[in-house]
Amino acid sequence: MEKTITSEAITETGEMKRKHYDMVINGKRVAGAAGDTFETFNPATGEVLATIALAQENDAEKAVQAARDAFDHGKWRKYPVGKRSRVLNRIAEIMRQRFKELVKMEVLNSGKSVGAAQVQINQAIEDFEFYAGAIVGHRGKVNNMPYGFFNYTHKEPVGVCAQIIPWNYPIMMAAWKIAPAIAAGCSVIIKPASLTPITAILLNEICHEAGVPEGVVNTLPGSGAVVGDYLVKHEAINKVAFTGSTPTGKDIMEKASKTLKRITLELGGKSPNIVFEDADMDAAVAGSLFGIFFNTGQSCEARSRMFVHESIYETFMEQFIAKTEKLQLGDPFDKTTHLGSIISKEQLEIIDGYVQSAREAGATIATGGKKLHLEGLENGHWYAPTVITDVTPDMKVVQEEIFGPVVVVEKFTDEKDVIQRANDTTYGLGSAIWTTDQGRATRVAHQIQAGIVMVNSPFSAFPGTPFGGYKQSGFGRELCVETLDLYMEDKSVLAYYGAKPINPFGV
Ligand code: NAP
Ligand code: MG
């Protein structure tokens, strides 16, 4: 237990206290062996926030050895389950005590609105509480056997896990990964996104303060192409859990196959949002608006393809566009801000490039469609919430994940036809249906090829709901009880207790 390594990131008056963050290996803060560092930014202002130790391959090797040693020789997985559960609850408790600080750092490093950060950090806390409870009741079973035999399934942690996460929900993704893995008894190495490393490092420090033994949780800030790649190929890593883009997920799957690692992939999406003619109009407008624009559209389950029944299209779109234009962008710490900044200049250009392509292909930009220059935030990366209509299925904006505040809208007339169009994508992560007809809701929900269907709900998940994709959105489910099994092996213990010895060869 390395209680000494935790310390606040900000002062009581809210000033940045730490201007440099080291990686966390074996319960200690460590600089990289080569002494390299990189800068991390506040994307809302463009200012440098802090420097971060840059992990290279030899640092990754140290992390693997520490995690391996903790798993093979350490006590964490041998603790009674109640004790692991208590530590997870303690992590949640410390996070709650340090809530304001975590929110502040998350907003500073990601540019998201303070409201969004609060919701996400609350969820990260609840993830630890959820798995603290779930692991206690998670057990193997006794199986029916022929007379004299006894067989039980012993659930054992899978081993050392590399967990590679994206920048859109920095601490929440870290919690989604760490909580079930350590609840199961695994050791982990977190590879945060290079754009947003700070809160994952803070969370790792909190894990130690809460009593997670050294080596069980390690954090390696560094390039995905270097240390991420190193971990994915490493023989001593048993599992890779990845959230991020589909191309990187495919690359990881290919590399991890060489050592047959267990993998979980939570990848991109192009989720449909279907508004039927019998929808509650107010709820559908508000929920569809949130469905695309929350987290500034930088979300894997963003409902970015909207289908609206033609009989309500005019009325719905009038309200939807009017509300889109009411969304406030600006200082992420201002409580009235709905949308924070885009994560980086590169991402801003990608988004703008998609919108340009739609323009050139003849679509209509109903609102938005431009970079914004906000007073006092001129060096930040800002994009207007954008609604694109008159699109055709072949357009890039309809096919590809944009990962920004951009929604494409199509009309439909027929239920069967809209299901077919909703499924006409290589992705299958989220989907939303707005209807007051329960029969229709069920019928459509069961035909949509996606891991998540929201019925009249603006929210896609809570701790306990399975989260994950069909098709090229990946596989494996996170956030739910079953996730624990993705961090465990079912060992079959088969014993013979019959009165007479057995001599199968008869010799
Ligand atoms: P990405 O390449 O998938 O990165 C996600 C994570 O994987 C980061 O930690 C990254 O590290 C790491 N990584 C990158 N290349 C790797 C490799 N070869 N081996 C192992 N790990 C690797 O995503 P991105 O480049 O940040 O964003 C690109 C696009 O992905 C976005 O425009 C968006 O469309 C999509 N995206 C999707 C999600 C999602 O939740 N589905 C999340 C983020 C982005 P570095 O940060 O050091 O590169
Ligand atoms: Mg990348």
Side-chain angles (χ1 to χ4, degrees), residues 141-163:
K141 52 185 180 179
V142 176
N143 302 304
N144 291 337
M145 284 293 112
Y147 183 76
F149 287 91
F150 175 66
N151 176 242
Y152 64 96
T153 310
H154 189 230
K155 289 197 174 287
E156 298 185 352
V158 76
V160 175
C161 308
Q163 304 186 308

Side-chain angles (χ1 to χ4, degrees), residues 52-186:
I52 312 288
L54 177 71
Q56 302 289 7
E57 290 190 351
N58 45 1
D59 304 304
E61 183 55 35
K62 275 185 205 149
V64 173
Q65 293 312 326
R68 199 67 259 171
D69 193 50
F71 187 78
D72 294 334
H73 309 295
K75 54 195 173 186
W76 179 249
R77 73 180 167 122
K78 297 178 193 149
Y79 278 173
V81 71
K83 185 162 173 183
R84 281 209 304 274
S85 168
R86 225 159 41 236
V87 174
L88 265 82
N89 274 320
R90 179 76 188 127
I91 295 170
E93 213 176 292
I94 300 172
M95 289 174 82
R96 212 164 251 133
Q97 283 159 7
R98 290 172 63 175
F99 185 75
K100 273 192 187 158
E101 174 201 354
L102 293 174
V103 168
K104 176 138 190 176
M105 292 314 299
E106 192 78 329
V107 172
L108 285 173
N109 205 187
S110 70
K112 66 178 76 222
S113 69
V114 68
Q118 284 168 343
V119 169
Q120 291 157 25
I121 291 171
N122 264 320
Q123 211 229 58
I125 293 169
E126 287 167 10
D127 291 339
F128 281 97
E129 291 168 338
F130 175 76
Y131 284 109
I135 194 61
V136 173
H138 201 69
R139 50 185 161 237
K141 52 185 180 179
V142 176
N143 302 304
N144 291 337
M145 284 293 112
Y147 183 76
F149 287 91
F150 175 66
N151 176 242
Y152 64 96
T153 310
H154 189 230
K155 289 197 174 287
E156 298 185 352
V158 76
V160 175
C161 308
Q163 304 186 308
I164 303 174
I165 56 173
W167 41 259
N168 51 340
Y169 298 108
I171 198 169
M172 201 174 84
M173 284 299 112
W176 279 30
K177 296 281 183 280
I178 296 172
I182 67 171
C186 294

Side-chain angles (χ1 to χ4, degrees), residues 164-167 191 194 224 242 244-245 248 251 267 300 347 403:
I164 303 174
I165 56 173
W167 41 259
K191 210 305 279 174
S194 292
F242 171 76
S245 66
T248 306
D251 179 57
L267 309 175
C300 46
Q347 193 66 22
F403 229 69

